[in-house]
mmCIF file with all atom_site columns, all heavy atoms in Angstrom:
data_model
loop_
_atom_site.group_PDB
_atom_site.id
_atom_site.type_symbol
_atom_site.label_atom_id
_atom_site.label_alt_id
_atom_site.label_comp_id
_atom_site.label_asym_id
_atom_site.label_entity_id
_atom_site.label_seq_id
_atom_site.pdbx_PDB_ins_code
_atom_site.Cartn_x
_atom_site.Cartn_y
_atom_site.Cartn_z
_atom_site.occupancy
_atom_site.B_iso_or_equiv
_atom_site.pdbx_formal_charge
_atom_site.auth_seq_id
_atom_site.auth_comp_id
_atom_site.auth_asym_id
_atom_site.auth_atom_id
_atom_site.pdbx_PDB_model_num
ATOM 1   N N   . TYR U 1 133 ? 69.303 25.429 76.074 1.00 97.00 ? 299 TYR U N   1
ATOM 2   C CA  . TYR U 1 133 ? 70.515 24.679 75.728 1.00 97.00 ? 299 TYR U CA  1
ATOM 3   C C   . TYR U 1 133 ? 71.225 24.115 76.956 1.00 97.00 ? 299 TYR U C   1
ATOM 4   O O   . TYR U 1 133 ? 71.544 22.930 77.004 1.00 97.00 ? 299 TYR U O   1
ATOM 5   C CB  . TYR U 1 133 ? 71.483 25.559 74.929 1.00 97.00 ? 299 TYR U CB  1
ATOM 6   C CG  . TYR U 1 133 ? 72.776 24.850 74.622 1.00 97.00 ? 299 TYR U CG  1
ATOM 7   C CD1 . TYR U 1 133 ? 72.859 23.957 73.568 1.00 97.00 ? 299 TYR U CD1 1
ATOM 8   C CD2 . TYR U 1 133 ? 73.907 25.049 75.412 1.00 97.00 ? 299 TYR U CD2 1
ATOM 9   C CE1 . TYR U 1 133 ? 74.036 23.272 73.297 1.00 97.00 ? 299 TYR U CE1 1
ATOM 10  C CE2 . TYR U 1 133 ? 75.088 24.369 75.155 1.00 97.00 ? 299 TYR U CE2 1
ATOM 11  C CZ  . TYR U 1 133 ? 75.147 23.493 74.088 1.00 97.00 ? 299 TYR U CZ  1
ATOM 12  O OH  . TYR U 1 133 ? 76.308 22.813 73.830 1.00 97.00 ? 299 TYR U OH  1
ATOM 13  N N   . ARG U 1 134 ? 71.488 24.948 77.939 1.00 95.00 ? 300 ARG U N   1
ATOM 14  C CA  . ARG U 1 134 ? 72.243 24.482 79.119 1.00 95.00 ? 300 ARG U CA  1
ATOM 15  C C   . ARG U 1 134 ? 71.514 23.337 79.828 1.00 95.00 ? 300 ARG U C   1
ATOM 16  O O   . ARG U 1 134 ? 72.136 22.345 80.212 1.00 95.00 ? 300 ARG U O   1
ATOM 17  C CB  . ARG U 1 134 ? 72.500 25.635 80.079 1.00 95.00 ? 300 ARG U CB  1
ATOM 18  C CG  . ARG U 1 134 ? 73.455 26.653 79.504 1.00 95.00 ? 300 ARG U CG  1
ATOM 19  C CD  . ARG U 1 134 ? 74.001 27.604 80.546 1.00 95.00 ? 300 ARG U CD  1
ATOM 20  N NE  . ARG U 1 134 ? 74.625 28.768 79.977 1.00 95.00 ? 300 ARG U NE  1
ATOM 21  C CZ  . ARG U 1 134 ? 75.703 28.785 79.221 1.00 95.00 ? 300 ARG U CZ  1
ATOM 22  N NH1 . ARG U 1 134 ? 76.270 27.657 78.893 1.00 95.00 ? 300 ARG U NH1 1
ATOM 23  N NH2 . ARG U 1 134 ? 76.204 29.909 78.761 1.00 95.00 ? 300 ARG U NH2 1
ATOM 24  N N   . GLU U 1 135 ? 70.220 23.489 79.985 1.00 95.00 ? 301 GLU U N   1
ATOM 25  C CA  . GLU U 1 135 ? 69.417 22.448 80.634 1.00 95.00 ? 301 GLU U CA  1
ATOM 26  C C   . GLU U 1 135 ? 69.505 21.132 79.848 1.00 95.00 ? 301 GLU U C   1
ATOM 27  O O   . GLU U 1 135 ? 69.732 20.066 80.420 1.00 95.00 ? 301 GLU U O   1
ATOM 28  C CB  . GLU U 1 135 ? 67.969 22.927 80.721 1.00 95.00 ? 301 GLU U CB  1
ATOM 29  C CG  . GLU U 1 135 ? 66.994 21.921 81.244 1.00 95.00 ? 301 GLU U CG  1
ATOM 30  C CD  . GLU U 1 135 ? 65.554 22.423 81.120 1.00 95.00 ? 301 GLU U CD  1
ATOM 31  O OE1 . GLU U 1 135 ? 65.329 23.654 81.090 1.00 95.00 ? 301 GLU U OE1 1
ATOM 32  O OE2 . GLU U 1 135 ? 64.662 21.560 81.043 1.00 95.00 ? 301 GLU U OE2 1
ATOM 33  N N   . TYR U 1 136 ? 69.330 21.201 78.529 1.00 93.00 ? 302 TYR U N   1
ATOM 34  C CA  . TYR U 1 136 ? 69.386 19.995 77.706 1.00 93.00 ? 302 TYR U CA  1
ATOM 35  C C   . TYR U 1 136 ? 70.783 19.373 77.730 1.00 93.00 ? 302 TYR U C   1
ATOM 36  O O   . TYR U 1 136 ? 70.924 18.155 77.829 1.00 93.00 ? 302 TYR U O   1
ATOM 37  C CB  . TYR U 1 136 ? 68.985 20.301 76.268 1.00 93.00 ? 302 TYR U CB  1
ATOM 38  C CG  . TYR U 1 136 ? 67.549 20.757 76.083 1.00 93.00 ? 302 TYR U CG  1
ATOM 39  C CD1 . TYR U 1 136 ? 67.193 21.571 75.029 1.00 93.00 ? 302 TYR U CD1 1
ATOM 40  C CD2 . TYR U 1 136 ? 66.546 20.375 76.976 1.00 93.00 ? 302 TYR U CD2 1
ATOM 41  C CE1 . TYR U 1 136 ? 65.877 21.986 74.844 1.00 93.00 ? 302 TYR U CE1 1
ATOM 42  C CE2 . TYR U 1 136 ? 65.232 20.788 76.801 1.00 93.00 ? 302 TYR U CE2 1
ATOM 43  C CZ  . TYR U 1 136 ? 64.907 21.592 75.738 1.00 93.00 ? 302 TYR U CZ  1
ATOM 44  O OH  . TYR U 1 136 ? 63.605 21.999 75.569 1.00 93.00 ? 302 TYR U OH  1
ATOM 45  N N   . ALA U 1 137 ? 71.812 20.208 77.638 1.00 91.00 ? 303 ALA U N   1
ATOM 46  C CA  . ALA U 1 137 ? 73.194 19.705 77.634 1.00 91.00 ? 303 ALA U CA  1
ATOM 47  C C   . ALA U 1 137 ? 73.528 19.053 78.975 1.00 91.00 ? 303 ALA U C   1
ATOM 48  O O   . ALA U 1 137 ? 74.190 18.006 79.009 1.00 91.00 ? 303 ALA U O   1
ATOM 49  C CB  . ALA U 1 137 ? 74.167 20.834 77.321 1.00 91.00 ? 303 ALA U CB  1
ATOM 50  N N   . GLU U 1 138 ? 73.074 19.647 80.067 1.00 90.00 ? 304 GLU U N   1
ATOM 51  C CA  . GLU U 1 138 ? 73.329 19.061 81.395 1.00 90.00 ? 304 GLU U CA  1
ATOM 52  C C   . GLU U 1 138 ? 72.640 17.714 81.536 1.00 90.00 ? 304 GLU U C   1
ATOM 53  O O   . GLU U 1 138 ? 73.206 16.777 82.102 1.00 90.00 ? 304 GLU U O   1
ATOM 54  C CB  . GLU U 1 138 ? 72.863 20.014 82.502 1.00 90.00 ? 304 GLU U CB  1
ATOM 55  C CG  . GLU U 1 138 ? 73.799 21.181 82.712 1.00 90.00 ? 304 GLU U CG  1
ATOM 56  C CD  . GLU U 1 138 ? 73.279 22.184 83.725 1.00 90.00 ? 304 GLU U CD  1
ATOM 57  O OE1 . GLU U 1 138 ? 72.339 21.851 84.489 1.00 90.00 ? 304 GLU U OE1 1
ATOM 58  O OE2 . GLU U 1 138 ? 73.817 23.307 83.748 1.00 90.00 ? 304 GLU U OE2 1
ATOM 59  N N   . ARG U 1 139 ? 71.427 17.603 81.007 1.00 89.00 ? 305 ARG U N   1
ATOM 60  C CA  . ARG U 1 139 ? 70.716 16.321 81.040 1.00 89.00 ? 305 ARG U CA  1
ATOM 61  C C   . ARG U 1 139 ? 71.487 15.243 80.290 1.00 89.00 ? 305 ARG U C   1
ATOM 62  O O   . ARG U 1 139 ? 71.409 14.066 80.632 1.00 89.00 ? 305 ARG U O   1
ATOM 63  C CB  . ARG U 1 139 ? 69.332 16.458 80.414 1.00 89.00 ? 305 ARG U CB  1
ATOM 64  C CG  . ARG U 1 139 ? 68.262 16.637 81.444 1.00 89.00 ? 305 ARG U CG  1
ATOM 65  C CD  . ARG U 1 139 ? 66.906 16.429 80.827 1.00 89.00 ? 305 ARG U CD  1
ATOM 66  N NE  . ARG U 1 139 ? 66.190 17.681 80.951 1.00 89.00 ? 305 ARG U NE  1
ATOM 67  C CZ  . ARG U 1 139 ? 65.261 18.106 80.140 1.00 89.00 ? 305 ARG U CZ  1
ATOM 68  N NH1 . ARG U 1 139 ? 64.890 17.390 79.112 1.00 89.00 ? 305 ARG U NH1 1
ATOM 69  N NH2 . ARG U 1 139 ? 64.656 19.244 80.342 1.00 89.00 ? 305 ARG U NH2 1
ATOM 70  N N   . MET U 1 140 ? 72.210 15.652 79.266 1.00 84.00 ? 306 MET U N   1
ATOM 71  C CA  . MET U 1 140 ? 73.009 14.696 78.484 1.00 84.00 ? 306 MET U CA  1
ATOM 72  C C   . MET U 1 140 ? 74.322 14.373 79.184 1.00 84.00 ? 306 MET U C   1
ATOM 73  O O   . MET U 1 140 ? 75.080 13.539 78.712 1.00 84.00 ? 306 MET U O   1
ATOM 74  C CB  . MET U 1 140 ? 73.288 15.269 77.096 1.00 84.00 ? 306 MET U CB  1
ATOM 75  C CG  . MET U 1 140 ? 72.058 15.401 76.232 1.00 84.00 ? 306 MET U CG  1
ATOM 76  S SD  . MET U 1 140 ? 72.401 16.249 74.680 1.00 84.00 ? 306 MET U SD  1
ATOM 77  C CE  . MET U 1 140 ? 73.456 15.069 73.883 1.00 84.00 ? 306 MET U CE  1
ATOM 78  N N   . GLY U 1 141 ? 74.622 15.074 80.266 1.00 78.00 ? 307 GLY U N   1
ATOM 79  C CA  . GLY U 1 141 ? 75.857 14.804 80.996 1.00 78.00 ? 307 GLY U CA  1
ATOM 80  C C   . GLY U 1 141 ? 77.030 15.632 80.528 1.00 78.00 ? 307 GLY U C   1
ATOM 81  O O   . GLY U 1 141 ? 78.173 15.338 80.859 1.00 78.00 ? 307 GLY U O   1
ATOM 82  N N   . GLY U 1 142 ? 76.774 16.691 79.753 1.00 68.00 ? 308 GLY U N   1
ATOM 83  C CA  . GLY U 1 142 ? 77.877 17.513 79.259 1.00 68.00 ? 308 GLY U CA  1
ATOM 84  C C   . GLY U 1 142 ? 78.794 16.697 78.379 1.00 68.00 ? 308 GLY U C   1
ATOM 85  O O   . GLY U 1 142 ? 78.439 15.636 77.903 1.00 68.00 ? 308 GLY U O   1
ATOM 86  N N   . MET U 1 143 ? 79.976 17.176 78.182 1.00 56.00 ? 309 MET U N   1
ATOM 87  C CA  . MET U 1 143 ? 80.919 16.472 77.317 1.00 56.00 ? 309 MET U CA  1
ATOM 88  C C   . MET U 1 143 ? 82.026 15.807 78.110 1.00 56.00 ? 309 MET U C   1
ATOM 89  O O   . MET U 1 143 ? 82.897 15.217 77.557 1.00 56.00 ? 309 MET U O   1
ATOM 90  C CB  . MET U 1 143 ? 81.528 17.441 76.289 1.00 56.00 ? 309 MET U CB  1
ATOM 91  C CG  . MET U 1 143 ? 80.596 17.800 75.164 1.00 56.00 ? 309 MET U CG  1
ATOM 92  S SD  . MET U 1 143 ? 80.015 16.400 74.228 1.00 56.00 ? 309 MET U SD  1
ATOM 93  C CE  . MET U 1 143 ? 81.510 15.905 73.417 1.00 56.00 ? 309 MET U CE  1
ATOM 94  N N   . ASN U 1 144 ? 82.090 15.877 79.379 1.00 42.00 ? 310 ASN U N   1
ATOM 95  C CA  . ASN U 1 144 ? 83.094 15.292 80.265 1.00 42.00 ? 310 ASN U CA  1
ATOM 96  C C   . ASN U 1 144 ? 83.884 14.131 79.655 1.00 42.00 ? 310 ASN U C   1
ATOM 97  O O   . ASN U 1 144 ? 83.906 13.040 80.177 1.00 42.00 ? 310 ASN U O   1
ATOM 98  C CB  . ASN U 1 144 ? 82.425 14.811 81.550 1.00 42.00 ? 310 ASN U CB  1
ATOM 99  C CG  . ASN U 1 144 ? 81.710 15.937 82.227 1.00 42.00 ? 310 ASN U CG  1
ATOM 100 O OD1 . ASN U 1 144 ? 82.178 17.065 82.209 1.00 42.00 ? 310 ASN U OD1 1
ATOM 101 N ND2 . ASN U 1 144 ? 80.563 15.653 82.812 1.00 42.00 ? 310 ASN U ND2 1
ATOM 102 N N   . ARG U 1 145 ? 84.508 14.358 78.552 1.00 42.00 ? 311 ARG U N   1
ATOM 103 C CA  . ARG U 1 145 ? 85.302 13.313 77.912 1.00 42.00 ? 311 ARG U CA  1
ATOM 104 C C   . ARG U 1 145 ? 86.713 13.319 78.471 1.00 42.00 ? 311 ARG U C   1
ATOM 105 O O   . ARG U 1 145 ? 87.261 14.358 78.794 1.00 42.00 ? 311 ARG U O   1
ATOM 106 C CB  . ARG U 1 145 ? 85.385 13.555 76.408 1.00 42.00 ? 311 ARG U CB  1
ATOM 107 C CG  . ARG U 1 145 ? 84.063 13.464 75.709 1.00 42.00 ? 311 ARG U CG  1
ATOM 108 C CD  . ARG U 1 145 ? 84.208 13.644 74.233 1.00 42.00 ? 311 ARG U CD  1
ATOM 109 N NE  . ARG U 1 145 ? 85.430 14.359 73.909 1.00 42.00 ? 311 ARG U NE  1
ATOM 110 C CZ  . ARG U 1 145 ? 85.690 14.887 72.743 1.00 42.00 ? 311 ARG U CZ  1
ATOM 111 N NH1 . ARG U 1 145 ? 84.847 14.794 71.793 1.00 42.00 ? 311 ARG U NH1 1
ATOM 112 N NH2 . ARG U 1 145 ? 86.811 15.525 72.507 1.00 42.00 ? 311 ARG U NH2 1
ATOM 113 N N   . THR U 1 146 ? 87.310 12.155 78.551 1.00 37.00 ? 312 THR U N   1
ATOM 114 C CA  . THR U 1 146 ? 88.694 12.083 78.993 1.00 37.00 ? 312 THR U CA  1
ATOM 115 C C   . THR U 1 146 ? 89.633 12.153 77.802 1.00 37.00 ? 312 THR U C   1
ATOM 116 O O   . THR U 1 146 ? 90.761 12.571 77.932 1.00 37.00 ? 312 THR U O   1
ATOM 117 C CB  . THR U 1 146 ? 88.951 10.781 79.779 1.00 37.00 ? 312 THR U CB  1
ATOM 118 O OG1 . THR U 1 146 ? 88.581 9.669  78.959 1.00 37.00 ? 312 THR U OG1 1
ATOM 119 C CG2 . THR U 1 146 ? 88.136 10.766 81.052 1.00 37.00 ? 312 THR U CG2 1
ATOM 120 N N   . GLU U 1 147 ? 89.161 11.736 76.630 1.00 45.00 ? 313 GLU U N   1
ATOM 121 C CA  . GLU U 1 147 ? 89.982 11.798 75.423 1.00 45.00 ? 313 GLU U CA  1
ATOM 122 C C   . GLU U 1 147 ? 89.903 13.209 74.846 1.00 45.00 ? 313 GLU U C   1
ATOM 123 O O   . GLU U 1 147 ? 88.890 13.870 74.952 1.00 45.00 ? 313 GLU U O   1
ATOM 124 C CB  . GLU U 1 147 ? 89.451 10.851 74.353 1.00 45.00 ? 313 GLU U CB  1
ATOM 125 C CG  . GLU U 1 147 ? 89.570 9.400  74.689 1.00 45.00 ? 313 GLU U CG  1
ATOM 126 C CD  . GLU U 1 147 ? 89.143 8.570  73.499 1.00 45.00 ? 313 GLU U CD  1
ATOM 127 O OE1 . GLU U 1 147 ? 87.952 8.554  73.199 1.00 45.00 ? 313 GLU U OE1 1
ATOM 128 O OE2 . GLU U 1 147 ? 90.034 7.971  72.864 1.00 45.00 ? 313 GLU U OE2 1
ATOM 129 N N   . ASP U 1 148 ? 90.962 13.628 74.185 1.00 51.00 ? 314 ASP U N   1
ATOM 130 C CA  . ASP U 1 148 ? 90.933 14.917 73.516 1.00 51.00 ? 314 ASP U CA  1
ATOM 131 C C   . ASP U 1 148 ? 91.943 14.898 72.382 1.00 51.00 ? 314 ASP U C   1
ATOM 132 O O   . ASP U 1 148 ? 92.813 14.046 72.324 1.00 51.00 ? 314 ASP U O   1
ATOM 133 C CB  . ASP U 1 148 ? 91.251 16.058 74.490 1.00 51.00 ? 314 ASP U CB  1
ATOM 134 C CG  . ASP U 1 148 ? 90.756 17.408 73.980 1.00 51.00 ? 314 ASP U CG  1
ATOM 135 O OD1 . ASP U 1 148 ? 89.984 17.434 73.001 1.00 51.00 ? 314 ASP U OD1 1
ATOM 136 O OD2 . ASP U 1 148 ? 91.150 18.426 74.558 1.00 51.00 ? 314 ASP U OD2 1
#
Side-chain angles (χ1 to χ4, degrees):
Y299 177 81
R300 292 195 195 296
E301 174 188 335
Y302 296 153
E304 284 175 16
R305 262 194 242 151
M306 293 174 67
M309 284 302 291
N310 302 324
R311 296 183 337 194
T312 56
E313 293 186 289
D314 200 12

